[in-house]
Amino acid sequence: MTDTVELLDAQNRATPEAADPETGPAATDLMIHTAVTEEMLVAAWQATNGSGDTPVWLSRVATLLAAGYGPMPATPTDETAHHLLTAAAAAANATAEAAVVEANARQLAHDEFSNDVRRRAARAVNNREICLSGTNYALERLGITNLPVEYSVELLVPVTVRVRATDEEDAYDRAADEVRDMLCGGDLDFDEYDLRREGAQVSDEEIDLDDLD
């Protein structure tokens, strides 16, 4: 309901502070009008919710209704006050729901546009019409996810292997066999801080358009 009050406040055409003192209602009349409105809303709230405790924002709703939403009915009944409150809440909820629908539609249109741009860019890169690095720079400036880049990377991994051998040459051969076995078996252990990057090269493979979905 707090959101409803804020929407009413934003849509209000006049407030006690902004009312023209020459053409607007007298201060005392407005105060009386607001007080009567608040009493009606309080009575309607209690009749509807069956509770003696009323929310603090009812006073703000009363001020907004009295200041900018036209004259009150001549008979301030609980039913009339309840109708005014529920009508204001319904209008505010409808406005909020419409805003959500509009925001979702805008997001969907943005996503469709971004996906279309990425696919067109990927085709152009595959056809060697534009370069990949420049394309990704442009996509990043547009706030669109970059195209995937495939690299061939060479790493130097120092491995210490202890073997028993008859001479140094035999030791290297046995160590090489041990490393092959560990690589195939997935048991190779090394210190990641000793890992050295030897180089990287962008692959010439075409971008798979299915990966862009």
Side-chain angles (χ1 to χ4, degrees), residues 60 63-64 67 78-79 98 101 109 113 116 124 157 166 175 186 203:
R60 183 58 179 162
T63 301
L64 294 171
D78 293 349
E79 181 181 358
V101 171
F113 168 78
D116 182 62
V157 182
T166 57
S203 174

Side-chain angles (χ1 to χ4, degrees), residues 140-154:
E140 184 176 357
R141 294 292 299 273
L142 291 173
I144 301 175
T145 304
N146 288 358
L147 297 175
V149 183
E150 186 172 323
Y151 287 91
S152 297
V153 178
E154 295 181 5

Side-chain angles (χ1 to χ4, degrees), residues 15 45 47 51 67 77 88 101 117 127 138-139 141 157 186 188 190 206 210:
T15 61
W45 178 272
S51 172
T77 62
V101 171
V117 170
N127 294 335
L139 291 177
R141 294 292 299 273
V157 182
L188 183 64
F190 62 91
E206 290 189 353
D210 292 336

Side-chain angles (χ1 to χ4, degrees), residues 167-184:
D167 55 39
E168 183 176 336
E169 190 66 25
D170 185 29
Y172 274 113
D173 291 340
R174 289 175 179 270
D177 291 337
E178 289 283 343
V179 171
R180 291 190 190 95
D181 292 339
M182 286 187 290
L183 286 173
C184 294

Side-chain angles (χ1 to χ4, degrees), residues 59-112:
S59 176
R60 183 58 179 162
V61 172
T63 301
L64 294 171
L65 289 173
Y69 283 82
M72 298 294 292
T75 306
T77 62
D78 293 349
E79 181 181 358
T80 300
H82 176 70
H83 173 72
L84 288 172
L85 183 59
T86 54
N93 289 334
T95 300
E97 291 175 359
V100 171
V101 171
E102 182 180 358
N104 290 338
R106 288 180 178 177
Q107 184 63 48
L108 179 60
H110 177 270
D111 292 342
E112 291 177 349

